[in-house]
Amino acid sequence: MYSKLICVAIYLFLLGTSDVNGDFLFKFGWYKTYPNGSRTEVSEISSLDKAIIGDTKYLKLKAKIPVLFPGSVKNIEHLEILKLVSCNVHTILPQAFRDIPNISMIALNDNKIKGIKTGIFNNLNVSTILLHRNKIQFIESEAFDNMTRLIKLQLNSNFISYWDNNWFKNTPQLSELYFRRNAIRTIPSRAFKNVPARNRKLKIYLSKNYISSLEQDAFYGLKECGQIWLDRNEIVDLNERLLADMEYLEVLILAKNFLSSVPNKLCNHLKSDLISLDLTNNNNLTCLDYELVQKVKLTNVQKIRGLDCGCIKNLKNKFVNNSQNNEINSDC
Ligand SMILES: *[C@@H]1O[C@H](CO)[C@@H](O)[C@H](O)[C@H]1NC(C)=O
Ligand SMILES: *[C@@H]1O[C@H](CO)[C@@H](O)[C@H](O)[C@H]1NC(C)=O
Ligand SMILES: *[C@@H]1O[C@H](CO)[C@@H](O)[C@H](O)[C@H]1NC(C)=O
Ligand SMILES: *[C@@H]1O[C@H](CO)[C@@H](O)[C@H](O)[C@H]1NC(C)=O
Ligand SMILES: *[C@@H]1O[C@H](CO)[C@@H](O)[C@H](O)[C@H]1NC(C)=O
Ligand SMILES: *[C@@H]1O[C@H](CO)[C@@H](O)[C@H](O)[C@H]1NC(C)=O
């Protein structure tokens, strides 16, 4: 008799504190089916599907959803944009999103997501995934495989501490990789071997990590690329063969690192000149070699305390003498 009561009490207690809201996806919240539409309040929702919210193209939801379990969002044929922003999501289980064939954007930014497992996003038709400002520490090797329409992946401001060169198998359209403000320390060999080898629109953002070393063959396999951002890291030196496998690169940003020199032959393998090389705020840099700067349309060496202005002037004179219109920006 008493034990039964105790069991009921414990059950009620667990119900009240349960993290996964009992059988519900969320208990209370609101959604919009147009960006400018009005809020519809809903409660005790077990999954988001056509039966509840209609076959909408747009869905923005505000609710506390700690766990997105399998089938949390499902069976909405026309859904193109799904926004689950600031919903306190900390876990996404595989198959959370099902039967949303026309989905093009999923926004999950500003949650508390701890990691990305395989089976959540694979095979979705999505082209943009926003995951910035979460608490992501791990991304399983296959988590973004076979995403044939994926263009933009936004992972800025997370806790990612490594780069896995097995990520992104079969992602032929991948063009924007945002990994700013994470905790990556090294860029391994052939880090981008799975991303499209020739995509002049490809932009790789690795600004503001703790990168101190780049493997000599970190970029091998990448033949053509638009922009590589490595500013605000801890890079002390660059291997002269770092870009040896690359034929085309437009922009290389290395501002705010600890470089004291840049290899003369860094750009010698590119088939056309680098458009911009940004070395601002590398305070231990004194000068650069003519062999390097003549392969770069615009070299930026502003805000460098120990820069040798005589040497910079000499480089500029050589451009004039050789009637080359390359430029060097400096504070000299
Ligand atoms: C919302 O915006 C669309 C155009 O984007 C417009 O056609 C529609 O009337 C607007 N609805 C409201 C409720 O303002
Ligand atoms: C899918 O979305 C595209 C726009 O991204 C739209 O043109 C098309 O009509 C949609 N198809 C379906 C079946 O909803
Ligand atoms: C992706 O879209 C195509 C149509 O464009 C559709 O046939 C296919 O089922 C969709 N895939 C998924 C996983 O929804
Ligand atoms: C990706 O596709 C390949 C080939 O179809 C398959 O072997 C692999 O299991 C798929 N990976 C994922 C994570 O779905
Ligand atoms: C930068 O130069 C200072 C002073 O010459 C030196 O103490 C420091 O070790 C140098 N840093 C690097 C990363 O080379
Ligand atoms: C540029 O040419 C002038 C005249 O030929 C020569 O005196 C000068 O040394 C050259 N400067 C450089 C940096 O090559």
Side-chain angles (χ1 to χ4, degrees):
M1 168 73 181
Y2 278 120
S3 62
K4 244 185 197 167
L5 274 177
I6 289 166
C7 280
V8 168
I10 289 172
Y11 176 74
L12 289 174
F13 173 78
L14 287 175
L15 206 63
T17 58
S18 165
D19 206 21
V20 293
N21 298 328
D23 287 339
F24 302 123
L25 180 58
F26 61 89
K27 280 183 183 159
F28 182 78
W30 57 259
Y31 68 86
K32 288 181 175 188
T33 54
Y34 291 95
N36 60 353
S38 53
R39 295 177 180 190
T40 303
E41 293 192 350
V42 280
S43 56
E44 302 194 340
I45 293 295
S46 53
S47 70
L48 291 161
D49 58 45
K50 191 163 57 181
I52 291 159
I53 47 125
D55 194 0
T56 180
K57 283 186 183 176
Y58 176 96
L59 177 61
K60 175 179 173 167
L61 183 85
K62 231 5 163 335
K64 277 198 177 174
I65 316 176
V67 180
L68 283 166
F69 54 77
S72 288
V73 179
K74 63 174 193 291
N75 194 19
I76 310 175
E77 282 146 45
H78 292 89
L79 190 62
E80 290 171 25
I81 296 178
L82 172 64
K83 293 191 177 185
L84 300 171
V85 176
S86 300
C87 288
N88 274 284
V89 180
H90 63 63
T91 302
I92 312 179
L93 295 175
Q95 299 290 321
F97 311 108
R98 264 189 212 153
D99 301 311
I100 45 172
N102 215 25
I103 192 73
S104 81
M105 200 256 258
I106 297 182
L108 284 158
N109 50 289
D110 297 281
N111 281 296
K112 295 175 179 165
I113 300 163
K114 289 175 288 192
I116 307 297
K117 288 183 187 291
T118 304
I120 299 169
F121 297 112
N122 310 98
N123 300 308
L124 291 179
N125 278 333
V126 74
S127 59
T128 299
I129 300 178
L130 305 183
L131 285 162
H132 49 291
R133 295 191 295 266
N134 274 285
K135 300 188 186 302
I136 297 168
Q137 292 189 34
F138 70 89
I139 299 172
E140 289 185 354
S141 290
E142 278 87 41
F144 295 106
D145 285 6
N146 300 331
M147 302 199 61
T148 54
R149 304 197 193 179
L150 185 62
I151 295 173
K152 173 175 172 173
L153 181 59
Q154 169 53 284
L155 279 156
N156 287 354
S157 299
N158 277 290
F159 300 144
I160 302 159
S161 61
Y162 62 95
W163 187 274
D164 183 344
N165 66 1
N166 287 311
W167 286 334
F168 311 127
K169 285 185 287 295
N170 189 21
T171 53
Q173 301 198 51
L174 196 56
S175 306
E176 295 173 50
L177 282 172
Y178 292 86
F179 280 82
R180 289 178 178 135
R181 292 192 168 83
N182 276 281
I184 298 166
R185 292 179 182 274
T186 74
I187 303 298
S189 290
R190 299 180 181 268
F192 307 95
K193 66 180 186 194
N194 292 330
V195 311
R198 293 178 192 276
N199 177 2
R200 293 186 176 196
K201 285 191 245 160
L202 179 62
K203 301 186 184 86
I204 300 169
Y205 298 98
L206 287 160
S207 316
K208 197 111 173 64
N209 277 273
Y210 303 117
I211 299 167
S212 58
S213 69
L214 295 139
E215 284 298 320
Q216 148 178 338
D217 54 354
F219 297 116
Y220 279 36
L222 208 50
K223 298 286 184 190
E224 300 190 356
C225 179
Q227 305 185 3
I228 299 175
W229 292 69
L230 286 162
D231 53 302
R232 293 174 286 161
N233 278 291
E234 297 173 1
I235 303 167
V236 176
D237 54 17
L238 298 172
N239 189 286
E240 81 170 18
R241 298 196 50 81
L242 186 65
L243 304 180
D245 196 37
M246 205 178 279
E247 293 169 14
Y248 179 91
L249 177 64
E250 268 171 36
V251 173
L252 180 59
I253 309 287
L254 287 160
K256 291 203 174 171
N257 278 285
F258 303 121
L259 293 166
S260 51
S261 66
V262 180
N264 302 348
K265 299 185 190 311
L266 184 68
C267 296
N268 283 11
H269 294 265
L270 298 177
K271 289 187 175 162
S272 54
D273 290 353
L274 193 61
I275 291 171
S276 173
L277 174 62
D278 188 348
L279 294 163
T280 53
N281 273 306
N282 280 271
N283 274 313
N284 281 19
L285 208 58
T286 50
C287 199
L288 298 167
D289 197 90
Y290 186 71
E291 190 178 359
L292 174 71
V293 293
Q294 68 166 342
K295 298 265 178 196
V296 183
K297 291 235 180 327
L298 172 64
T299 304
N300 197 328
V301 285
Q302 288 173 301
K303 298 182 186 161
I304 295 176
R305 273 193 299 272
L307 196 67
D308 177 347
C309 283
C311 172
I312 297 296
K313 201 173 168 197
N314 204 33
L315 293 174
K316 289 187 173 185
N317 285 341
K318 268 198 189 165
F319 286 147
V320 174
N321 281 12
N322 298 338
S323 30
Q324 286 188 270
N325 55 9
N326 307 52
E327 286 180 59
I328 300 177
N329 275 353
S330 74
D331 299 327
C332 293

